[in-house]
Amino acid sequence: MVKVSPSILSADFCNLERDIRRVSCADWLHVDVMDGAFVPNITIGVPVVQSIRKCTDLFLDVHLMVDKPVRYIDSFCKAGADLLSVHLEADHPTRITDALRAMEANGVKKAVALRPITSARAILPYIEQLDMVLVMTVEPGFGGQKFMEGQLETIREVRALIDKYNPSCELEVDGGVGPGTAERVIEAGATVLVAGSAVYGTQDPASAIDSLRRAN
Ligand code: DX5
Ligand code: ZN
């Protein structure tokens, strides 16, 4: 069964602890870190991840939408992240490698993320050492956007590369995932679904999580 990683970007930040408890049946918790440079929005930073770590045992899946993420790897690891995703567009390949090495040194799971413009083949230099690949199905920056259908093909291509080079690597899909799209996303090869508005925009987040898990 696929894992569901609710995105707290759609939570009420005045009631973050309550909203994290509301999704305690989830597999992971998705934390969107944005720096106002790599993406046009600013969200969560290291101190907030530190506080979240104290109030949940959920696996913290931290999505870094920041320029030159290598600068922040140690800090987010120490704050309590279980997995970090760095965008391949956010720095030169040598510094992406440095970022992955820093995750390894901290004992945190390693992932790279792809904007919709980036081809699946961009993961090739890293694939064998990764725990996860994150495919964006919206332009990163905001929750509640429409799923980009064209990205189903990228998901399939990433699935084929994972099957060939590193079959145990997770494939996470992020952006516009909900009841209308989850089935096709799973069919294309996803193993982890991120969902913000499809979980927090409903009266019953626990049952929304459950139906996403059963979407195929
Ligand atoms: C967008 C973020 C997503 C976002 C998903 O840049 O990376 O994680 O919160 O939100 P929904 O599920 O509403 O598209
Ligand atoms: Zn995200």
Side-chain angles (χ1 to χ4, degrees):
M1 208 183 293
V2 293
K3 297 182 179 67
V4 177
S5 190
S7 167
I8 55 163
L9 190 57
S10 298
D12 172 0
F13 286 133
C14 272
N15 291 286
L16 190 52
E17 182 169 9
R18 178 202 69 190
D19 277 5
I20 290 172
R21 299 217 186 290
R22 287 170 83 199
V23 300
S24 57
C25 67
D27 303 276
W28 292 1
L29 190 70
H30 188 80
V31 181
D32 285 308
V33 174
M34 305 189 191
D35 67 350
F38 182 74
V39 288
N41 197 4
I42 301 177
T43 54
I44 290 166
V46 173
V48 178
V49 172
Q50 233 163 15
S51 297
I52 293 172
R53 180 70 294 164
K54 289 185 204 136
C55 84
T56 182
D57 290 329
L58 280 170
F59 180 95
L60 292 187
D61 158 27
V62 178
H63 180 189
L64 298 179
M65 284 160 278
V66 303
D67 269 338
K68 303 194 182 352
V70 68
R71 299 176 292 165
Y72 303 107
I73 302 300
D74 285 346
S75 306
F76 279 104
C77 290
K78 291 194 174 70
D82 292 297
L83 174 148
L84 292 176
S85 297
V86 290
H87 269 270
L88 290 181
E89 311 83 6
D91 209 342
H92 298 291
T94 55
R95 287 200 284 269
I96 296 295
T97 301
D98 291 344
L100 295 171
R101 202 172 290 134
M103 292 175 210
E104 176 80 36
N106 280 283
V108 159
K109 296 216 182 297
K110 310 184 288 278
V112 297
L114 277 66
R115 294 187 100 118
I117 186 97
T118 304
S119 114
R121 297 184 62 78
I123 66 172
L124 279 174
Y126 315 99
I127 180 69
E128 279 160 8
Q129 57 166 314
L130 296 175
D131 298 293
M132 191 181 87
V133 176
L134 187 169
V135 175
M136 291 298 307
T137 40
V138 298
E139 276 304 333
F142 300 91
Q145 303 182 74
K146 192 175 173 313
F147 180 83
M148 296 167 72
E149 297 287 333
Q151 283 301 88
L152 285 168
E153 190 51 34
T154 306
I155 300 168
R156 282 188 209 103
E157 287 165 10
V158 169
R159 165 52 48 205
L161 295 174
I162 286 176
D163 287 348
K164 187 163 176 200
Y165 295 106
N166 183 2
S168 63
C169 181
E170 303 274 7
L171 200 178
E172 180 173 73
V173 174
D174 183 9
V177 177
T181 53
E183 188 179 344
R184 279 171 298 145
V185 166
I186 296 167
E187 203 174 75
T191 57
V192 187
L193 306 180
V194 175
S197 32
V199 167
Y200 282 111
T202 63
Q203 290 300 317
D204 186 351
S207 84
I209 290 166
D210 207 45
S211 26
L212 285 172
R213 271 199 203 110
R214 293 167 199 286
N216 64 334

